[in-house]
Amino acid sequence: MSAKDAGEHCDWTVTGMDCASCATKITTALNRLPGVADVQVGVMSERLTVSLDAAQTSRDVVEAAVRKLGFGIAAKGASVERKKPFVMPGTVHDHTGHAQSGHHHTGHDHARHDAPPPFDPSAPDPTHGQDTAHGGPGHSHATDPKDRDKRWFQTAKGRLVLGTGLLLAAAWAVKLFASESLAYYAFFAACLIGVAPVAQRAFNALRAGIPFTIEALMTIAAIGALFIGAAEEAALVVFLFAVGEVLEGVAADRARASIRALADLVPKTALLEENGTTREVDAASLAIGQRVLVRPGERIPADGEIVEGSSGVDESPVTGESVPKTKGPGDAVFAGSINAEAALRITVSKSAEDNTIARIIALVEEAETARAPTERFIDRFSRLYMPAIVGLAVLVAIVPPLVSAAAWDIWIYRALALLLIGCPCALVISVPASIASALSSGARRGMLMKGGAVIEAAARTSRVAFDKTGTLTLGKPTVTDVITLGATEAEILAVAAGVETGSSHPLAEAILRRAAAAGVAALPATEAKALIGKGAQAMVDGAAAWVTSPRYGVEIGALDAAGLERAAAMEQDGKTVVVVFRENRALGLIAMRDEPRADALEAVRQLQAMGVSAIMLTGDNARTGAAIAGLMGMDHRAELMPEDKVTEIKAMAAQGGVIMVGDGINDAPALAAATVGVAMGSGTDVALETAAAALLRNRVTDVAAMIRLARAAMANIRQNVALALGLKAVFLLTTVLGMTGLWIAILADTGATVLVTLNALRLLRFDPERER
């Protein structure tokens, strides 16, 4: 994507971000640049997007501003060597602002029927920010993409830890083997050398309009400690700060691991068939319409449709469904799925950047920017917290000496220690770390939730509304009875099939299947049209004919009381009945049953055990709706037109919220009106795009699992917030009372950030399918 046009959308990968405070720095700095708008920074996805007017600010200026803050930055998808290349959604840029294609590799693909490789934190990241470990201030916070190929002690942050550690050890050696006075100067030098890059970052942030940063507080505390003669403790604090940054980086990287692991599912190469020959090509270069060969045991390289062969396909890497599905010609398959049994020839239906896994990754990344209300509140709180701590530190430093003639050095020391616990990193990372872990955990199980706001809403919702057809039922009704009223069974099926020919409605397809099975040909029909909520009509064999609900048949005088009574009797058994008639003459009744899904009853039971009520919404007649709802033990609303469903959903949403579950197509208006709209579907575009959440495995029980995951995420957030604020409160009090010093304060600050991140990572191991 080029930024030459005003307001162009630009996308970068930013490395070195450990918490939401890092995102705030970048956002604040870029918002000060002319021509930059709509800045979005994802900490866990390492993503930066802006709307850029290149006439006012170039891409290079944006990148330079980010690098000055100590972060690595590169255009999204820039050509950097990766162990498992993957084209992410969106166009790729080079540093000149011109569009380029995704990075392509050649070579043999070893994608066989093995488990996806575990995430390797040393895997190179798709960025090419400068290595700031040498020559250049502010380097300690930046992450060189090359650092991802190295052990921690080979990275820029690791080298800073080793450097400050060696300086500190040397100073202690001087203290041990030489005089105290000489050791003081050694600690003094160790502190200055170690704090220099931190001070440079603080200065760059100050120039960008961000005065209150942990780097600024750290610099003030270290230099202040030198002025009051606490050189040894100042040097120790600088070293512990560097160690803390490495730990925070490792913890944050672990939180990103599961998202990155999704990209590893797509094989690097594919076997392309052209002109009777097969050759190996880069999977990312496959174009729509090309044909690929997938041998047994290999991963499917692209979304497509099988044109030859039948085989069991393991879709668990994409949807989380553990049981392989037997698929043959005409069936759709997903990139990353495993062909388990026989060779398949597949026509590519989607490009690499638009396949299902790419879209899932994009949705998870974009979901991070859809912040939960709790996160927005904490962000506002944190903006006040740090200035308040700085103000409190100033008061602690000057009030006791002025009021009670206390020793200046003691209270200045306590004020400096107070500064070190003034960073809200642990607090602001407490929500996004939990949200990112929950999103990743859900994505691995085929449960996509579009952001923290969705998770928070799902966690507090106590009512779920289900569409009946295709959601609670299989969506494939079968004809159970054909009742003759004024014609033979063959005549009834011939007329009904004529009216329904070309329709994709489940009831129409059931009638057509029954006619075909009976060897009855559909009569020729014209002028077919749907009667919304009532049925269908057409000119069949030159005369008008209808297939409608019994109620509509009575309304227009085609069905008498006896016929209505027979229809009602079948509806009492949970069957859907239609009447087939011509002008004022009923030909017969056709009864159909749509069987409930095998897990629908279990899903309702699980929801009720969680204190969540379930209600079924259907356009079917009241007797059929009552029969099915009674079988499942849930409430229902029947005979609803599409607009009636929206009205019902809006009413429930106004009474404490409701989750609406539908197929993502026919129920789009109701899904949009719900507090949380959930689309059930196997990776279809509509299922991924229209609703606030999507269940790719097509399991009704996943609704309960999604709510469990959302509730676990919110409980995790509450734990993190309590942990972060609790530690801050304890050490704030002990610092003012003189019970803790500088090095304990920095340990408390770093420790809190690491603890809340590690606590959030527990969600990656949370099993939402297990009842609690």
Side-chain angles (χ1 to χ4, degrees):
M1 180 187 302
S2 173
K4 290 180 180 180
D5 301 318
E8 192 71 38
H9 176 86
C10 298
D11 208 341
W12 286 272
T13 296
V14 176
T15 57
M17 296 185 292
D18 299 332
C19 73
S21 294
C22 302
T24 302
K25 293 176 191 174
I26 295 172
T27 303
T28 304
L30 295 186
N31 278 331
R32 291 166 61 92
L33 297 176
V36 175
D38 193 23
V39 179
Q40 299 284 345
V41 181
V43 177
M44 294 303 161
S45 58
E46 299 180 307
R47 186 181 186 188
L48 166 65
T49 61
V50 303
S51 178
L52 183 66
D53 182 356
Q56 299 185 63
T57 298
S58 68
R59 291 176 57 88
D60 289 340
V61 172
V62 172
E63 293 176 6
V66 173
R67 288 196 184 97
K68 282 182 179 178
L69 295 174
F71 302 100
I73 182 172
K76 186 73 172 178
S79 183
V80 178
E81 184 179 354
R82 292 173 63 91
K83 294 180 180 177
K84 285 276 188 178
F86 182 72
V87 179
M88 294 298 291
T91 310
V92 179
H93 308 273
D94 60 23
H95 272 294
T96 65
H98 298 293
Q100 66 182 41
S101 64
H103 52 287
H104 295 164
H105 296 256
T106 58
H108 184 66
D109 176 39
H110 299 283
R112 290 289 185 266
H113 190 184
D114 52 3
F119 175 73
D120 181 1
S122 66
D125 192 57
T127 60
H128 56 276
Q130 298 170 341
D131 181 0
T132 53
H134 301 285
H139 57 268
S140 66
H141 205 290
T143 300
D144 187 330
K146 294 188 289 293
D147 283 347
R148 299 203 189 255
D149 261 342
K150 304 172 183 177
R151 305 289 293 273
W152 71 268
F153 51 82
Q154 295 174 307
T155 65
K157 289 184 179 182
R159 287 191 290 269
L160 182 64
V161 169
L162 294 177
T164 54
L166 288 173
L167 288 170
L168 186 61
W172 272 326
V174 171
K175 179 180 179 180
L176 183 63
F177 299 108
S179 64
E180 288 279 345
S181 58
L182 188 59
Y184 175 83
Y185 292 108
F187 285 119
F188 194 98
C191 177
L192 284 182
I193 295 171
V195 85
V198 181
Q200 181 64 47
R201 278 162 31 211
F203 179 69
N204 287 334
L206 180 63
R207 290 177 58 191
I210 316 166
F212 298 106
T213 63
I214 183 57
E215 290 83 6
L217 301 185
M218 179 68 215
T219 302
I220 294 171
I223 294 176
L226 294 179
F227 274 102
I228 62 173
E232 180 177 359
E233 200 161 3
L236 178 60
V237 165
V238 171
F239 169 71
L240 291 176
F241 178 76
V243 171
E245 285 209 309
V246 169
L247 292 177
E248 289 175 7
V250 170
D253 208 49
R254 287 285 303 276
R256 301 179 181 115
S258 57
I259 298 177
R260 289 186 192 146
L262 285 172
D264 293 337
L265 297 175
V266 180
K268 183 169 61 175
T269 60
L271 295 176
L272 177 65
E273 290 191 339
E274 282 183 327
N275 303 321
T277 63
T278 301
R279 62 189 178 92
E280 192 173 81
V281 299
D282 190 331
S285 68
L286 292 174
I288 295 173
Q290 291 183 319
R291 178 181 290 195
V292 294
L293 170 66
V294 184
R295 296 171 297 200
E298 293 182 340
R299 291 185 183 274
I300 295 171
D303 282 13
E305 182 177 297
I306 298 174
V307 292
E308 184 180 323
S310 294
S311 177
V313 177
D314 180 2
E315 296 179 343
S316 60
V318 183
T319 67
E321 178 58 70
S322 58
V323 180
K325 294 181 179 179
T326 300
K327 296 200 172 189
D331 290 333
V333 291
F334 304 133
S337 300
I338 300 169
N339 177 22
E341 298 167 358
L344 295 175
R345 285 176 170 82
I346 297 168
T347 299
V348 178
S349 62
K350 290 182 181 178
S351 58
E353 66 271 14
D354 197 38
N355 65 38
T356 301
I357 286 184
R359 294 165 72 82
I360 289 173
I361 294 174
L363 286 171
V364 172
E365 288 187 339
E366 290 166 7
E368 192 185 347
T369 64
R371 300 195 301 167
T374 302
E375 185 177 355
R376 290 195 294 267
F377 170 77
I378 288 177
D379 187 48
R380 290 193 299 269
F381 173 78
S382 65
R383 293 179 185 178
L384 302 175
Y385 173 78
M386 190 178 287
I389 289 293
V390 172
L392 179 61
V394 172
L395 293 176
V396 168
I398 63 175
V399 171
L402 293 177
V403 173
S404 60
W408 280 94
D409 58 344
I410 292 176
W411 286 99
I412 289 176
Y413 178 87
R414 292 181 183 180
L416 295 175
L418 193 61
L419 285 178
L420 293 180
I421 64 170
C423 177
C425 277
L427 183 61
V428 294
I429 198 64
S430 60
V431 178
S434 298
I435 294 297
S437 294
L439 292 173
S440 300
S441 180
R444 290 206 311 268
R445 295 172 172 86
M447 293 180 284
L448 302 182
M449 291 177 283
K450 298 183 180 178
V454 174
I455 289 176
E456 190 164 332
R460 66 170 181 263
T461 302
S462 59
R463 183 180 299 176
V464 177
F466 291 94
D467 175 57
K468 179 180 77 73
T469 305
T471 303
L472 288 174
T473 62
L474 296 174
K476 287 190 175 182
T478 56
V479 174
T480 58
D481 304 275
V482 179
I483 307 299
T484 59
L485 296 178
T488 65
E489 179 175 330
E491 289 173 333
I492 295 169
L493 290 175
V495 173
V499 174
E500 302 291 11
T501 296
S503 173
S504 60
H505 193 282
L507 297 181
E509 291 178 342
I511 292 172
L512 293 171
R513 286 195 298 270
R514 176 59 178 265
V520 176
L523 292 174
T526 59
E527 301 178 27
K529 66 178 181 179
L531 305 173
I532 304 300
K534 299 171 184 176
Q537 73 176 71
M539 295 296 293
V540 178
D541 203 20
W546 289 260
V547 177
T548 72
S549 66
R551 185 172 63 176
Y552 184 71
V554 171
E555 287 178 7
I556 65 173
L559 187 64
D560 59 19
L564 181 61
E565 185 177 342
R566 298 187 71 175
M570 290 187 288
E571 288 174 349
Q572 292 283 9
D573 294 332
K575 299 175 183 178
T576 300
V577 182
V578 296
V579 57
V580 183
F581 61 93
R582 289 191 182 270
E583 286 284 357
N584 298 322
R585 183 171 70 91
L587 303 180
L589 301 173
I590 299 177
M592 291 160 280
R593 187 196 299 275
D594 189 7
E595 297 296 335
R597 288 177 180 264
D599 63 339
L601 189 60
E602 173 63 15
V604 173
R605 185 197 66 77
Q606 290 185 20
L607 288 171
Q608 291 173 343
M610 297 163 60
V612 178
S613 61
I615 182 171
M616 181 184 76
L617 304 182
T618 179
D620 218 331
N621 66 82
R623 284 181 288 272
T624 300
I628 294 177
L631 176 67
M632 296 186 184
M634 63 194 301
D635 196 4
H636 74 285
R637 302 284 187 275
E639 299 182 358
L640 298 177
M641 303 288 281
E643 59 270 23
D644 297 329
K645 289 185 181 180
V646 174
T647 302
E648 289 283 347
I649 289 296
K650 285 182 176 178
M652 287 185 275
Q655 296 171 2
V658 62
I659 295 173
M660 170 66 188
V661 186
D663 60 12
I665 303 172
N666 299 329
D667 305 302
L671 292 176
T675 310
V676 178
V678 178
M680 290 184 62
S682 300
T684 62
D685 289 347
V686 173
L688 291 176
E689 302 291 348
T690 58
L695 304 177
L696 303 187
R697 293 192 295 190
N698 243 349
R699 292 182 182 176
V700 188
T701 50
D702 278 352
V703 177
M706 185 189 73
I707 295 175
R708 283 194 203 97
L709 181 59
R711 290 180 176 180
M714 294 309 298
N716 191 274
I717 287 171
R718 288 190 291 271
Q719 294 166 7
N720 280 347
V721 171
L723 182 63
L725 289 179
L727 283 175
K728 294 290 183 185
V730 167
F731 284 98
L732 186 148
L733 180 62
T734 57
T735 298
V736 172
L737 296 177
M739 299 168 63
T740 52
L742 289 174
W743 69 275
I744 292 292
I746 195 66
L747 276 181
D749 175 72
T750 298
T753 303
V754 173
L755 284 176
V756 298
T757 305
L758 293 177
N759 187 49
L761 290 175
R762 292 191 307 112
L763 287 171
L764 295 175
R765 298 192 301 272
F766 179 79
D767 183 6
E769 297 175 58
R770 185 168 65 87
E771 292 188 65
R772 288 164 174 79

